[in-house]
Amino acid sequence: MTFAIQFLIDVLSLGGAYALMALGLVIVYGILRLVNFAYGELIMVAGYSMFLVGGSGLPWLIMAMVAVGMAVLAGIATDYIAFRPVRAKSVTAVLITSFAFSTLLQNAALLFISPRPQTVPLPDLFSETVTIGGAITPLRNLITIAAAVILLALFALLMRRTVLGIAMRAAATNFTMARMLGVPANLIISSAFAISGFLAGVVGLLWIGRIGTVVPGIGLEPLLVAFIATVIGGMRSLSGAVVGGFLLALIDTTLNYTLPQDLLKFRDAFTFSLVILILLWRPEGLVKGPASGQRT
Amino acid sequence: MKQHLLTAALLAGLVIVVVLVTQALGIRLYDRIVTNLCISLVLVLGLQLFMGNSGILSFAHMGFMGVGAYTSAVLTIPVQMKGMALPDLYPFLHGVELSPYLAIGAAGILAALVAAAISYPLMRLSDAAAVITSFALLVVLYTAMTHWSALTNGPRTLFGLPKATNLHLAALVAIIALVGALAFKESRTGRLLRASRDDERAAAAMGVNIPALRWRAFILAAFFAGVGGALWGHFITSFSPKAFYLKETFVILSMLVIGGTNTVTGAVVGTFIVTAAYEGLRGVEGVLNDAKVTAEPVIGLTEIVLSLAMIAVLILKPGGLFPTREIGALIARRMERKK
Amino acid sequence: MLEVEELEVRYGAIRAVRGISLRVASGELVALVGANGAGKSSTLMCIAGALKAAAGSVHLDGEDITSGKPETIVRRGIATVPETRDVFPDLTVDENLMLGSYIRRGDGKGVAEDRARMLSLFPRLAERAAQPAGTLSGGEQQMLVIARAMMSRPKVLLLDEPSLGLAPVIVDQIFEMIAVLKKTGVTILLVEQNVGKALSVADRAYVMRLGRIAASGTAAEIGAQTDLSALYLGA
């Protein structure tokens, strides 16, 4: 019983984090059909912002809000620098500019801050442990689950009940038609990037909370997670990204628990190989996205 | 046909001229730079023949470079050194010691086989999903290299490769790669692939098996990458898995993108330009560090400049410097107009 | 109200529209007919702002809207219903209609009135208000996109091939709706391949062939021309 609860908490907290990461990526992809390679760096920006305001003596929540705010700004900046100038040109061009922008940001952190890991202030709350049904887990995991549930619910609400959300869903299905109804294209896109930055910022702080330090390359793992969860989930579907995130967390946690010690370091290789197999079986992903009929 | 021969001749000629001049100058630094240039050419040409013809961005290329480098290493590190260099090596490989030239070929073949085995699922995916999965593939290969100590010495540096690569060998392989990339481009597979790139539905309707074509191109690209990796291994004689990951992917990609993804000429010209810029910027970094202008060593400047350059090129000339026509075709057109 | 002068639309090197001029007066229903490939849809899409004009101009009530982007064109009062129908399949009928009134979203009361009016005009849509638009039949989708366009209270309605792909009975219904809409005073520019139906609701018509205007006149005049087929197929 204890084991089951431990497993469940691990899967749910990891799944929640992964789902948020994936959602932040898909919201831009869904509307623009463009993959944001600099997405991981939004988490890096949140981390380094925390580091930079760390000495200010402000309450942690305020610092966290600053960090998330910076991630939002970085998201919008990504749109203006890496996407807008090349959006019309080709899908590949945008992939590459966002990759270049990602390299730019990472190396800027490297050059202007430091290649060495920097400490990020964390609330004591994160590391306090809680015992549930015999399973011991850091409070942070429960906070992650709560944050994921709240954010996913808010997001679903946004998408379904607000005009902005409906406009975004429309823009994701048929951008030109949405424009012909007066939906301001650029505003929609900036909103998508801003939301992407917000999600990245929040999940970034929770993610960094596991180690407590930030390095320039910290965004890589979340980026990969977001990528893979999105691809399994079906690229265009918001709910697919969430499903993909939880599924990936399930696979990862299961492998963590079951792989023999000496194979554990290959866990990522196993996870991704499994994913490649899933894609072999279902190239369009597991969840059907908005009907479009054409090549994604 | 004549245009293609002209392109091949011009590009090969460029390489030959640069090599001869370097040889004449006799400066070791230039020797190293140009040898690296030739090795980069092999890598970039491999990437070009996949990306340019299929239209799919692949991030996995450097992973196969690593496969090639490690394969050649295992096959050529002298038996006496094997114990020290690869302490966890599988017993059955202990006694193996091949000629580097054979090993380089074997490295390419093994990289191609690995690519053949794991990449087919990728080929059926749509553009964005394929790119993302190729990225995952890079990570898988990197993870394998970093942890499979039996074959790679893990994350630690692997020493002991015989220095078999010199300027001439690298140049020769580069020229062969050049001709190969051009030949592939104009082959039936290459043309069908390009047709499918431009209009997937029409091609599929004609019965073209797009995944199979992509797969073939990917395997060939991996072969180039493997050979390039082995060549590089035998030049630098020691390396670690970190040499086959994101930073290098970025540099190779920048060479291709700036020069022009869709043309072999673009691949070659881009390699020259970025190599020159890279070496120049590294030099600047070195000078700044020696002069202790800043408290901490200056790193990352090169990458920052390169990223800005890539973004600029993509904004101003999204197809690169040579977006559609090879140099042979461009010159042929000029001559036509003059008539 | 709507004035098009010497409009040219190009797809790369190909000139789809080679300098056409047409006028639509306030409250009129003008039909633009012609064979496939004549350039009718390109003309419409250019007015709507979805395609760039290579030359010429488009004026609405004297204002130059030639280079307007789709978002601005609709704000000036021109609503477009493209040939591709383009419902948002995963959004409900109601959500689709709501998007139609996007530019008037501050006016809650007005929007609600319009919604009620549209649903009474198109009772089939009222039945399916909460259904995803993708589950509607072709004819119902056509009604939806017309209703959606009307939700912005446009001065001018651009309709691109509303009869495309629909059964004759449904086409009749759609054109009845169009006639009703005309009575509400909205100006309509109708592109149609179905000449008979188009002329039955139109005041005037232009015939396009190979990117140019080949004939123009009242609906009766155009309908009476015996060499209409020649105009279509080329003499």
Side-chain angles (χ1 to χ4, degrees):
Chain A
M1 192 56 196
T2 311
F3 171 78
I5 295 183
Q6 183 75 63
F7 186 76
L8 191 66
I9 296 179
D10 283 347
V11 172
L12 287 179
S13 63
L14 194 64
Y18 281 6
L20 289 176
M21 287 175 196
L23 205 56
L25 185 73
V26 156
I27 196 174
V28 168
Y29 182 77
I31 297 180
L32 293 178
R33 306 283 171 286
L34 300 170
V35 180
N36 181 8
F37 264 93
Y39 179 63
E41 275 57 58
L42 299 179
I43 294 182
M44 185 196 81
V45 165
Y48 276 109
S49 304
M50 277 306 271
F51 160 68
L52 289 172
V53 298
S56 66
L58 293 166
W60 188 83
L61 213 55
I62 304 284
M63 291 199 287
M65 279 164 56
V66 170
V68 173
M70 291 303 295
V72 169
L73 287 176
I76 299 178
T78 311
D79 178 29
Y80 277 92
I81 299 177
F83 278 66
R84 248 172 235 207
V86 277
R87 222 153 62 199
K89 311 245 168 118
S90 83
V91 180
T92 318
V94 177
L95 276 167
I96 300 177
T97 44
S98 59
F99 185 54
F101 192 57
S102 154
T103 308
L104 183 66
L105 287 174
Q106 281 188 48
N107 282 283
L110 201 67
L111 186 62
F112 296 116
I113 304 184
S114 169
R116 288 188 293 269
Q118 303 297 325
T119 335
V120 166
L122 297 169
D124 299 321
L125 217 60
F126 271 19
S127 27
E128 271 175 33
T129 54
V130 163
T131 316
I132 300 184
I136 305 177
T137 186
L139 194 58
R140 189 194 60 245
N141 277 351
L142 299 178
I143 296 179
T144 307
I145 297 178
V149 168
I150 295 174
L151 284 176
L152 290 174
L154 276 177
F155 188 75
L157 210 76
L158 175 77
M159 285 288 116
R160 295 208 175 266
R161 293 297 178 81
T162 65
V163 177
L164 178 65
I166 296 179
M168 283 175 87
R169 280 161 59 210
T173 316
N174 191 328
F175 198 57
T176 316
M177 191 63 228
R179 291 179 71 193
M180 285 209 243
L181 294 175
V183 173
N186 286 330
L187 185 64
I188 295 297
I189 295 172
S190 295
S191 308
F193 274 97
I195 298 176
S196 176
F198 179 75
L199 290 170
V202 173
V203 78
L205 290 178
L206 293 168
W207 188 251
I208 293 174
R210 305 161 114 225
I211 347 160
T213 57
V214 60
V215 285
I218 197 159
L220 179 61
E221 204 184 330
L223 181 72
L224 273 170
V225 165
F227 275 173
I228 299 300
T230 311
V231 171
I232 337 176
M235 288 308 314
R236 298 269 310 283
S237 156
L238 296 172
S239 43
V242 173
V243 167
F246 277 97
L247 184 61
L248 194 61
L250 182 64
I251 297 175
D252 264 357
T253 313
T254 310
L255 287 176
N256 259 340
Y257 276 54
T258 57
L259 279 181
Q261 192 59 31
D262 49 332
L263 285 180
L264 207 57
K265 50 197 178 185
F266 288 103
R267 193 203 64 184
D268 287 337
F270 278 112
T271 309
F272 294 149
S273 307
L274 221 86
V275 167
I276 292 181
L277 283 174
I278 293 180
L279 287 174
L280 184 60
W281 166 52
R282 288 264 224 138
E284 341 75 47
L286 294 171
V287 177
K288 234 175 154 247
S292 75
Q294 345 145 277
R295 67 196 283 206
T296 310
Chain B
M1 187 57 188
K2 262 196 272 182
Q3 293 175 0
H4 308 311
L5 287 176
L6 183 58
T7 306
L10 283 172
L11 294 175
L14 176 63
V15 175
I16 293 175
V17 163
V18 169
V19 166
L20 288 176
V21 168
T22 312
Q23 212 182 329
L25 285 175
I27 302 175
R28 273 193 77 194
L29 178 66
Y30 293 167
D31 207 82
R32 178 183 68 76
I33 293 178
V34 176
T35 309
N36 266 322
L37 174 77
C38 292
I39 296 174
S40 298
L41 275 173
V42 176
L43 293 164
V44 177
L45 286 164
L47 189 60
Q48 193 281 329
L49 76 82
F50 178 73
M51 274 178 63
N53 292 304
S54 72
I56 298 176
L57 179 53
S58 166
F59 277 98
H61 204 61
M62 291 292 106
F64 294 108
M65 180 189 176
V67 170
Y70 277 108
T71 305
S72 201
V74 167
L75 293 174
T76 57
I77 291 182
V79 180
Q80 318 95 282
M81 290 199 61
K82 273 202 162 77
M84 261 206 313
L86 287 160
D88 304 323
L89 188 62
Y90 294 120
F92 76 90
L93 287 168
H94 265 288
V96 175
E97 188 182 334
L98 295 177
S99 137
Y101 304 112
L102 274 179
I104 291 175
I109 293 176
L110 193 73
L113 286 173
V114 172
I118 54 183
S119 70
Y120 194 75
L122 246 102
M123 302 306 144
R124 299 201 312 165
L125 297 172
S126 68
D127 292 357
V131 173
I132 289 179
T133 314
S134 75
F135 193 69
L137 192 55
L138 177 67
V139 176
V140 170
L141 290 168
Y142 176 72
T143 311
M145 283 188 276
T146 312
H147 294 296
W148 205 337
S149 314
L151 290 175
T152 63
N153 202 28
R156 299 173 293 271
T157 314
L158 177 63
F159 299 92
L161 285 98
K163 187 167 180 126
T165 306
N166 58 16
L167 187 57
H168 295 132
L169 180 64
L172 180 65
V173 177
I175 292 177
I176 297 177
L178 186 73
V179 174
L182 274 168
F184 179 79
K185 189 176 176 208
E186 298 307 323
S187 73
R188 193 163 169 275
T189 308
R191 292 202 216 202
L192 282 174
L193 205 51
R194 281 205 299 290
S196 76
R197 176 194 73 195
D198 295 330
D199 193 329
E200 195 168 303
R201 238 181 270 151
M206 288 197 300
V208 174
N209 185 349
I210 299 175
L213 290 175
R214 287 178 182 165
W215 189 57
R216 263 184 250 165
F218 196 73
I219 295 172
L220 186 59
F223 176 75
F224 275 52
V227 167
L231 263 183
W232 185 72
H234 288 294
F235 182 61
I236 204 164
T237 71
S238 67
F239 52 81
S240 78
K242 286 200 256 300
F244 310 109
Y245 206 31
L246 291 168
K247 195 157 86 150
E248 291 63 29
T249 301
F250 176 68
V251 177
I252 296 291
L253 195 60
S254 71
M255 292 178 184
L256 186 58
V257 166
I258 292 177
T261 313
N262 289 347
T263 56
V264 175
T265 311
V268 172
V269 170
T271 309
F272 272 88
I273 293 180
V274 173
T275 304
Y278 191 86
E279 294 295 335
L281 286 165
R282 277 271 181 266
V284 169
E285 265 183 33
V287 165
L288 285 176
N289 284 333
D290 288 339
K292 296 243 190 312
V293 172
T294 54
E296 298 244 7
V298 170
I299 11 163
L301 183 66
T302 311
E303 283 77 11
I304 292 180
V305 174
L306 266 184
S307 358
L308 288 170
M310 273 232 291
I311 294 177
V313 165
L314 284 166
I315 295 177
L316 299 167
K317 268 209 131 205
L321 293 171
F322 289 88
T324 35
R325 291 208 176 78
E326 301 287 357
I327 191 139
L330 284 170
I331 292 183
R333 267 191 141 210
R334 279 268 169 82
M335 316 239 43
E336 279 281 315
R337 292 223 187 105
K338 287 220 182 107
K339 274 187 196 161
Chain C
M1 174 172 255
L2 185 65
E3 291 193 2
V4 176
E5 295 271 357
E6 299 296 317
L7 195 66
E8 264 191 42
V9 179
R10 290 208 193 125
Y11 293 102
I14 304 173
R15 294 203 303 170
V17 180
R18 301 171 191 231
I20 65 153
S21 303
L22 52 87
R23 262 160 211 48
V24 185
S26 177
E28 270 196 317
L29 196 162
V30 172
L32 187 56
V33 298
N36 230 346
K40 318 186 294 297
S41 292
S42 306
T43 305
L44 214 67
M45 284 299 119
C46 184
I47 299 174
L51 283 177
K52 237 177 65 154
S57 68
V58 181
H59 284 81
L60 178 69
D61 280 340
E63 255 195 281
D64 189 340
I65 55 167
T66 319
S67 54
K69 293 192 297 198
E71 303 96 315
T72 27
I73 300 278
V74 68
R75 269 170 236 267
R76 303 287 181 117
I78 299 183
T80 312
V81 180
E83 183 182 359
T84 37
R85 235 152 259 160
D86 286 337
V87 295
F88 299 112
D90 301 300
L91 271 57
T92 64
V93 167
D94 252 331
E95 286 172 336
N96 268 274
L97 288 176
M98 200 215 282
L99 276 175
S101 63
Y102 184 85
I103 55 171
R104 298 177 43 234
R105 62 194 186 282
D107 176 17
K109 200 160 141 258
V111 170
E113 278 171 18
D114 288 343
R115 176 181 170 278
R117 199 147 48 94
M118 282 301 127
L119 290 182
S120 69
L121 201 58
F122 299 94
R124 288 263 273 283
L125 293 181
E127 284 167 37
R128 308 202 193 293
Q131 273 180 246
T135 61
L136 268 55
S137 72
E140 288 163 350
Q141 287 188 359
Q142 187 63 55
M143 290 183 209
L144 175 58
V145 292
I146 295 178
R148 185 179 67 186
M150 291 302 296
M151 290 291 290
S152 63
R153 287 201 191 157
K155 294 189 235 174
V156 179
L157 183 65
L158 303 176
L159 280 173
D160 198 349
E161 311 254 12
S163 73
L164 206 58
L166 298 177
V169 173
I170 311 287
V171 174
D172 288 341
Q173 289 174 0
I174 302 276
F175 273 86
E176 272 170 36
M177 309 287 181
I178 296 178
V180 171
L181 283 177
K182 178 175 187 297
K183 291 213 184 72
T184 67
V186 66
T187 310
I188 303 180
L189 178 57
L190 171 70
V191 161
E192 249 306 333
Q193 277 189 53
N194 186 336
V195 187
K197 293 308 291 187
L199 293 180
S200 72
V201 290
D203 299 312
R204 288 189 302 118
Y206 293 86
V207 181
M208 261 187 95
R209 187 166 85 88
L210 295 176
R212 289 188 223 274
I213 303 280
S216 68
T218 66
E221 285 167 8
I222 299 291
Q225 284 193 3
T226 45
D227 52 352
L228 206 58
S229 56
L231 283 170
Y232 260 77
L233 303 168

